[in-house]
Amino acid sequence: MPKKPAATEASPVADFENALTQLETLVERMEGGELSLEESLGAYERGVGLYRRCQQALEDAELRVKLLSDPAAPERAQPFGDAGLDDPDA
């Protein structure tokens, strides 16, 4: 019988949105200028970790879209953002 995910496990989309919200809050605190140097370094380190989680979630989502678009040949899929790079009028 397949194992069901626990109710406390967040979906990848929810995890991305949560990490992004945390990152935005952290940036606002840092921009406020009220943090000590030690707090700023800790916040920066936390922010880098959140950024990496967000980036990984976006890369995973892109791969899912590629696989859904053409599951037989995902290698033919074009990376997002590359469309029109050769054509400046695009």
Side-chain angles (χ1 to χ4, degrees), residues 33-44:
E34 301 295 321
L35 300 177
S36 69
L37 178 58
E38 187 66 32
E39 291 171 326
S40 294
L41 289 172
Y44 180 80

Side-chain angles (χ1 to χ4, degrees), residues 19-61:
L20 185 59
T21 299
Q22 289 180 43
L23 184 57
E24 289 170 343
T25 302
L26 192 60
V27 168
E28 288 174 10
R29 286 185 56 217
M30 292 177 72
E31 289 178 342
E34 301 295 321
L35 300 177
S36 69
L37 178 58
E38 187 66 32
E39 291 171 326
S40 294
L41 289 172
Y44 180 80
E45 187 174 341
R46 174 83 176 127
V48 168
L50 289 167
Y51 167 79
R52 288 179 180 158
R53 278 178 50 194
C54 289
Q55 189 65 35
Q56 184 62 52
L58 291 173
E59 289 172 6
D60 291 347

Side-chain angles (χ1 to χ4, degrees), residues 82-90:
D82 286 353
L85 286 181
D86 295 331
D87 183 7
D89 296 328

